[in-house]
Amino acid sequence: CCERFIEGEYKKYNSNSGFIEQSPDHKVRNTPQAFSHFTYESSGGQLIVVDVQGVGDLYTDPQIHSADLTKYSGDANLGLRGIAYFFASHKCN
């Protein structure tokens, strides 16, 4: 049906096209970026979970980019190109 209301400031931490949110003082919240990188490593490089957004460490509405476009179909699955977008802007912490 629908997600429950999440109290707090909602933020988009990364996107499916390589965007990484930075605070006004140019600090990056590490947990969402590490989570995306973890999903890539734990899948053997076959997929990555991006478009991480939510409040604090409570995430909602992610997107999956998959090397196999038939596994997670849809226009937002950018496949290997989407995985490359993430790593073009990601810095390990």
Side-chain angles (χ1 to χ4, degrees):
C1 157
C2 57
E3 296 178 15
R4 67 178 177 85
F5 177 75
I6 302 171
E7 186 77 37
E9 184 180 356
Y10 187 89
K11 287 191 175 187
K12 187 174 195 83
Y13 297 110
N14 66 34
S15 73
N16 61 345
S17 60
F19 162 81
I20 292 179
E21 186 271 335
Q22 294 184 7
S23 65
D25 59 358
H26 303 290
K27 290 185 179 176
V28 173
R29 183 162 171 86
N30 291 328
T31 311
Q33 314 321 321
F35 172 73
S36 291
H37 193 159
F38 169 80
T39 62
Y40 175 79
E41 294 296 333
S42 69
S43 72
Q46 295 303 298
L47 62 82
I48 191 167
V49 176
V50 293
D51 203 16
V52 178
Q53 50 202 312
V55 176
D57 285 330
L58 183 58
Y59 306 135
T60 179
D61 195 29
Q63 173 60 48
I64 298 173
H65 294 317
S66 174
D68 180 355
L69 293 173
T70 63
K71 281 192 173 183
Y72 302 97
S73 61
D75 294 339
N77 179 359
L78 304 179
L80 293 174
R81 183 169 43 109
I83 293 170
Y85 285 155
F86 174 79
F87 284 106
S89 57
H90 174 65
K91 293 182 181 149
C92 290
N93 50 58

